Amino acid sequence: MRILVMSDTHGDAAALRRALLAQPKAEVVIHLGDGQEDLDQVRFSFSDRTFLRVRGNCDWGSSLPTVGEYKAEGARIFYTHGHAYGVKSGDETIISAARERKADILLFGHTHQSREDYEDGLYIMNPGRLSGWEPSYGVIDITPQGIVLNVVRLP
């Protein structure tokens, strides 16, 4: 299974659409916030995909939750924007929250800095930002052989 992960589109619905078109095999799309309206503009053009999303600190007036959990191919995914966990000051709090939920994969945005790590049984990904200079998104492949995280630069 392939999962497309994006965050911080900040009004760039065109970049979001390009990322969706670049990953036609992605069955699930997770938007990590700061772009609810962008996703609302394009998601109906991709009705064959499952969309999961949370609100970010710039999604003013949003009724979306701040956290989400999803199980894919046996892997437990915990996802959030990250601002409520102080990720710009460090990752201890958010990693602790993921471990409390027994997550296999932690996804967060907010910092605009891409990251892909593996720490003591926990895969950690921040896809960076999909707007602005050097936009990027994340791809997660979950297979019987394991989990692979990749951050991809949008051309």
Side-chain angles (χ1 to χ4, degrees):
M1 167 182 263
R2 176 164 285 184
I3 301 171
L4 172 60
V5 184
M6 56 185 66
S7 187
D8 297 280
T9 50
H10 291 289
D12 198 341
L16 192 152
R17 180 181 295 280
R18 288 193 341 259
L20 287 162
L21 291 170
Q23 295 296 328
K25 293 181 180 177
E27 300 170 46
V28 175
V29 178
I30 301 176
H31 194 294
L32 300 174
D34 284 359
Q36 176 180 345
E37 292 179 8
D38 308 326
L39 192 57
D40 287 343
Q41 287 180 36
V42 302
R43 70 185 176 120
F44 296 108
S45 298
F46 299 88
S47 60
D48 59 330
R49 304 189 195 196
T50 299
F51 287 89
L52 306 172
R53 53 198 185 144
V54 291
R55 77 173 177 260
N57 61 301
C58 293
D59 289 321
W60 300 288
S62 172
S63 61
L64 291 174
T66 57
V67 300
E69 294 183 45
Y70 184 72
K71 195 163 193 175
E73 304 291 323
R76 298 177 69 99
I77 302 170
F78 171 61
Y79 59 99
T80 186
H81 184 62
H83 65 291
Y85 294 90
V87 296
K88 286 188 177 180
S89 299
D91 59 11
E92 298 83 16
T93 304
I94 198 167
I95 288 174
S96 177
R99 292 194 189 285
E100 286 173 12
R101 289 170 171 80
K102 299 188 181 350
D104 300 298
I105 302 171
L106 164 62
L107 305 175
F108 67 95
H110 188 56
T111 67
H112 295 198
Q113 300 293 316
S114 62
R115 172 182 179 185
E116 48 190 286
D117 282 322
Y118 179 80
E119 293 180 11
D120 298 322
L122 181 65
Y123 292 88
I124 303 167
M125 174 183 271
N126 182 328
R129 69 179 183 281
L130 204 48
S131 63
W133 179 254
E134 295 184 346
S136 60
Y137 59 86
V139 174
I140 303 171
D141 287 306
I142 303 173
T143 69
Q145 291 75 33
I147 298 170
V148 177
L149 309 178
N150 285 298
V151 172
V152 179
R153 297 275 177 228
L154 187 66

